[in-house]
Amino acid sequence: MADTNLYPVSEAIAASAHITKDEYETLYQESISSPETFWAAKAEEFLTWDKKWDKVREFDFVKGEARWFDGGKLNVSANCIDRHLAERGDQVAIIWEGDDPSDDLKVTYKEVHEQVCKLANVLKTRGVKKGDRVCIYMPMIPEAAYAMLACARVGAIHSIVFGGFSPEALKDRIQDSDCQVVITADEGVRGGRKIPLKANADTAVAQCPGVSTVLVVKRTGGDVAWDESHDVWYHDAMAEASADCAPEPMDAEDPLFILYTSGSTGKPKGVLHTTGGYLLQAAMTHKYVFDYQDGEVYWCTADVGWVTGHSYIVYGPMANGAITLMFEGVPTYPTAARCWEVVDKHDVSIFYTAPTAIRALMGQGDEFVTQTSRKTLRILGTVGEPINPEAWDWYYKVVGDSRCPIMDTWWQTETGAHMLTPLPGAIALKPGSATLPFFGVEPVLLDGDGKEVVGAGEGSLAIKSSWPSQIRTVFGDHNRLVQTYFSTYPGYYFTGDGARRDEDGYFWITGRVDDVINVSGHRMGTAEVESALVLHEKVSEAAVVGYPHDIKGQGIYAYITLMVGEEPSDELKKELVALCVKEIGPIAKPDVIQWAPGLPKTRSGKIMRRILRKIAANEVDALGDTSTLADPTVVDDLIDNRENKG
Ligand code: 6R9
């Protein structure tokens, strides 16, 4: 086991780090024993409040309720922009690196302020008020950040939908949160290919009567259809807008954004985050986990369509007055050297990415890395899925020249910010472990009876008490929040992940214990993919599981039972793949489709996914007990016809 592989804290980094080992230990204890005192001090230190709060925290994990800094008032956009103007108005806020390596742009805090104020006024002109929902369906361009901050400025709740989602998925999300404005672009550009965002939005909006405005940024100048009744060019609206817009004073518990994420059942849930606690933990983790020092260039490669982009491209870094790099493209375009060329071009100090990207680049060979300098790099980070020791090693040695510690950050859309993570100047690393809890986080492992595991051991990962950036509700369905997160283990927040704790108290995430799979760091409910597949008229039943995939971490393996009389064909496989792309998006493409004349079911009709997972993983010698199946012979057929025999 890789446990014995301990990487001590680098002395060079510890010398100037915000948090040292002793400080971590003392502050962590304080954050657990006196949370109110601890968080009140941090809220003063990190944020600027228009009015101080009455109560630091209140929570009830039976009802799934949490309130932080109740009675306090602040505005997120003022905290991310206005308060920096006096000291660093002319400092770069956003470095934008386009898909094409010759395309880039630097935007100062002053310029961001002007753009955000104008856009906030545009939103107001279009009737957007505090509490209204605005959907953002954008490529990775600075306007995406302006859109988020402009919503925050007027008190509107944004709901970003990843640009890779299909019109169908976009429509569902617009309808679920009843957005009245959609902000999009004519086209996106990634890896040299265009993405028809406006055309997708048109298809979605045609089924969303509540949308009164579609604001369109001109990114490529490509042809788009135009509906005068609601389409508005961003540049036209901005040209007429005033650059003067006072931030709306918001309650600490007013909603900031909704972000849809997959669960183990049904449609994606609208995870709702609020203002004060969210911003505090995003800012604080950004500063401490990446040991961000003033003036450093920080680059998180995520897309703003995911929570990582929310907390660690925009809100955390900008609350800290950092220089945040925003990348439009993909790590392999034009070549697999792109990331490291960008690091050299912009003198990046901190680089934060996903294991799937590391594995993909690792497969391209070391030369793409070693041909670049990377001497400015100081800290590396990963997020999204467990990182395998080989990828960790390559990232550490080849990318970081054995000089840069790797922050393996475990957290979720629902947690809003880092929860388990090393701190560069404080915590020794073990490859593959997200190490120890961040301040104020009380992780526990629960056994099969729901009892806390003491000391080293394994179990379901749960959190015992509220943290500032926790999910507040599932938009429009608080009962679903309670059911999903607070019912499995009453009194705890259940993460859906399994984990192991070693003798040093380090946590090792073992993966999801529910029917959620993690494909290239993107969360997907197997139920969502199944719902898409059974829409096909020839499909009677579909069962989807994850299986180990070298690059993606997990691939999508679909077992399909056809209607009586239908014949399997390659053509039909293509149709099924296309259906997943249409209903969800390219990230939901099944990697493997296996025809299954029958599925292993219990006598009560429940599909035994455990068996399907084993067959998909080619672990057919370890199927376990199949005697409770209604018809054990279906398993033999599935084994004989399995697609993964490698
Ligand atoms: C931030 C983000 C959350 C799920 C989570 C877990 C997996 C995330 C991880 C990790 C092992 C890490 N996950 N970070 N597993 N080590 N460092 O990814 O949010 O998209 O909601 O996914 O991702 O399974 O439960 P989200």
Side-chain angles (χ1 to χ4, degrees):
M1 209 68 231
D3 302 38
T4 47
N5 235 345
L6 192 74
Y7 289 72
V9 169
S10 133
E11 282 175 27
I13 286 181
S16 61
H18 293 303
I19 305 285
T20 60
K21 184 166 186 288
D22 290 349
E23 284 167 328
Y24 170 71
E25 284 164 5
T26 318
L27 283 172
Y28 181 75
Q29 284 313 324
E30 192 187 316
S31 72
I32 301 302
S33 57
S34 327
E36 303 229 348
T37 319
F38 175 85
W39 286 112
K42 291 299 169 192
E44 292 277 14
E45 181 186 336
F46 276 84
L47 304 180
T48 303
W49 297 80
D50 301 328
K51 175 178 170 284
K52 208 175 156 176
W53 54 88
D54 304 318
K55 186 148 182 43
V56 175
R57 81 167 183 178
E58 238 173 324
F59 73 97
D60 178 340
F61 272 8
V62 174
K63 295 186 185 144
E65 289 171 359
R67 300 185 72 79
W68 283 81
F69 308 109
D70 221 4
K73 285 201 178 283
L74 76 168
N75 180 286
V76 167
S77 94
N79 270 274
C80 289
I81 315 170
D82 304 41
R83 64 171 174 155
H84 304 314
L85 293 177
E87 213 180 305
R88 61 182 88 220
D90 294 318
Q91 181 207 288
V92 170
I94 300 173
I95 299 178
W96 177 74
E97 171 76 14
D99 186 58
D100 182 321
S102 63
D103 236 358
D104 60 19
L105 184 73
K106 288 184 174 152
V107 193
T108 65
Y109 273 95
K110 226 186 246 169
E111 289 163 339
V112 171
H113 182 253
E114 186 184 335
Q115 297 302 314
V116 169
C117 287
K118 284 189 176 177
L119 184 52
N121 281 326
V122 170
L123 292 176
K124 282 189 187 171
T125 312
R126 304 300 303 184
V128 176
K129 305 174 306 299
K130 180 174 171 177
D132 289 348
R133 273 81 59 203
V134 172
C135 174
I136 300 176
Y137 183 63
M138 293 272 265
M140 286 289 287
I141 53 178
E143 286 82 354
Y146 306 158
M148 296 163 75
L149 292 160
C151 287
R153 199 163 189 91
V154 302
I157 307 169
H158 60 69
S159 163
I160 308 192
V161 178
F162 173 57
F165 277 120
S166 69
E168 200 62 28
L170 175 61
K171 175 210 72 181
D172 289 344
R173 287 158 176 76
I174 294 173
Q175 288 180 348
D176 185 80
S177 46
D178 195 15
C179 297
Q180 65 188 67
V181 172
V182 177
I183 309 179
T184 188
D186 49 1
E187 295 172 311
V189 197
R190 267 167 70 89
R193 291 191 312 150
K194 304 230 167 97
I195 299 143
L197 295 174
K198 171 66 163 64
N200 289 349
D202 289 345
T203 310
V205 167
Q207 300 167 77
C208 303
V211 173
S212 55
T213 301
V214 179
L215 198 57
V216 188
V217 177
K218 193 174 265 187
R219 167 65 188 100
T220 63
D223 271 346
V224 289
W226 205 254
D227 182 337
E228 293 290 346
S229 71
H230 53 56
D231 290 346
V232 178
W233 281 112
Y234 179 95
H235 56 266
D236 286 344
M238 291 289 276
E240 290 168 10
S242 149
D244 198 4
C245 178
E248 182 78 29
M250 302 294 283
D251 286 331
E253 281 299 336
D254 277 334
L256 176 64
F257 67 84
I258 297 166
L259 183 58
Y260 286 86
T261 193
S262 300
S264 46
T265 52
K267 283 195 171 176
K269 317 177 269 286
V271 170
L272 185 112
H273 282 288
T274 56
T275 298
Y278 169 79
L279 191 65
L280 174 58
Q281 198 169 334
M284 200 168 136
T285 47
H286 171 261
K287 179 165 175 173
Y288 293 159
V289 172
F290 300 117
D291 191 42
Y292 185 80
Q293 307 279 345
D294 264 357
E296 283 189 313
V297 176
Y298 157 88
W299 180 15
C300 164
T301 68
D303 190 285
V304 292
W306 309 115
V307 74
T308 307
H310 285 62
S311 303
Y312 299 108
I313 295 178
V314 179
Y315 291 123
M318 294 191 72
N320 291 333
I323 305 172
T324 183
L325 194 149
M326 189 179 202
F327 178 41
E328 186 182 41
V330 296
T332 45
Y333 178 82
T335 74
R338 184 67 189 275
C339 289
W340 326 121
E341 286 166 1
V342 172
V343 165
D344 285 350
K345 175 178 175 187
H346 296 295
D347 292 337
V348 173
S349 301
I350 300 157
F351 180 76
Y352 187 33
T353 195
T356 186
I358 298 164
R359 287 191 299 266
L361 295 175
M362 184 168 78
Q364 306 280 317
D366 294 1
E367 308 74 54
F368 287 110
V369 189
T370 53
Q371 76 194 34
T372 63
S373 151
R374 291 157 286 108
K375 67 175 191 307
T376 50
L377 281 180
R378 207 166 65 79
I379 310 277
L380 300 172
T382 79
V383 58
E385 51 176 317
I387 181 163
N388 48 310
E390 301 72 39
W392 195 98
D393 230 51
W394 185 82
Y395 196 28
Y396 186 76
K397 294 191 177 124
V398 181
V399 174
D401 286 328
S402 305
R403 180 188 73 236
C404 311
I406 299 175
M407 301 303 112
D408 180 348
T409 60
W410 176 88
W411 59 296
Q412 311 177 293
T413 305
E414 295 88 339
T415 71
H418 300 156
M419 298 291 280
L420 298 175
T421 175
L423 302 177
I427 298 173
L429 309 174
K430 295 183 187 186
S433 169
T435 76
L436 299 173
F438 188 70
F439 300 126
V441 175
E442 282 189 273
V444 291
L445 299 177
L446 301 175
D447 66 18
D449 301 326
K451 296 245 163 26
E452 289 187 21
V453 174
V454 181
E458 197 163 340
S460 292
L461 179 62
I463 315 287
K464 207 174 167 156
S465 61
S466 182
W467 61 99
S469 60
Q470 86 164 62
I471 178 175
R472 295 303 195 267
T473 194
V474 169
F475 187 79
D477 195 353
H478 193 75
N479 189 38
R480 193 160 171 207
L481 172 102
V482 176
Q483 285 308 318
T484 312
Y485 307 103
F486 297 99
S487 305
T488 321
Y489 301 102
Y492 297 92
Y493 166 85
F494 173 47
T495 65
D497 281 326
R500 181 166 68 79
R501 186 170 45 212
D502 69 19
E503 309 68 42
D504 299 323
Y506 277 43
F507 286 87
W508 301 74
I509 306 296
T510 49
R512 301 287 304 196
V513 295
D514 53 10
D515 288 320
V516 171
I517 54 179
N518 194 325
V519 182
S520 301
H522 301 318
R523 252 169 88 167
M524 209 168 317
T526 52
E528 276 173 80
V529 186
E530 289 164 4
S531 312
L533 290 165
V534 296
L535 288 176
H536 198 289
E537 54 180 18
K538 294 183 179 164
V539 172
S540 139
E541 204 164 18
V544 169
V545 296
Y547 74 102
H549 187 287
D550 282 350
I551 304 283
K552 300 180 180 183
Q554 281 189 301
I556 302 178
Y557 198 113
Y559 295 88
I560 303 284
T561 309
L562 294 175
M563 296 284 189
V564 176
E566 296 297 346
E567 286 300 316
S569 69
D570 286 348
E571 197 50 43
L572 185 51
K573 277 194 182 177
K574 282 193 195 126
E575 286 173 27
L576 292 175
V577 170
L579 195 54
C580 294
V581 174
K582 171 168 177 288
E583 290 298 314
I584 306 170
I587 54 175
K589 269 187 199 170
D591 296 277
V592 176
I593 291 178
Q594 176 174 349
W595 306 115
L599 291 168
K601 289 187 186 169
T602 60
R603 290 191 188 94
S604 61
K606 221 172 167 319
I607 295 177
M608 285 187 75
R609 288 161 187 284
R610 175 174 61 77
I611 293 174
L612 295 178
R613 280 193 282 265
K614 292 280 184 203
I615 296 172
N618 197 28
E619 290 170 8
V620 292
D621 298 332
L623 288 186
D625 184 13
T626 56
S627 62
T628 56
L629 289 175
D631 175 9
T633 62
V634 299
V635 175
D636 299 328
D637 173 84
L638 292 177
I639 291 175
D640 290 344
N641 295 301
R642 69 190 187 274
E643 299 280 337
N644 178 11
K645 293 183 180 163

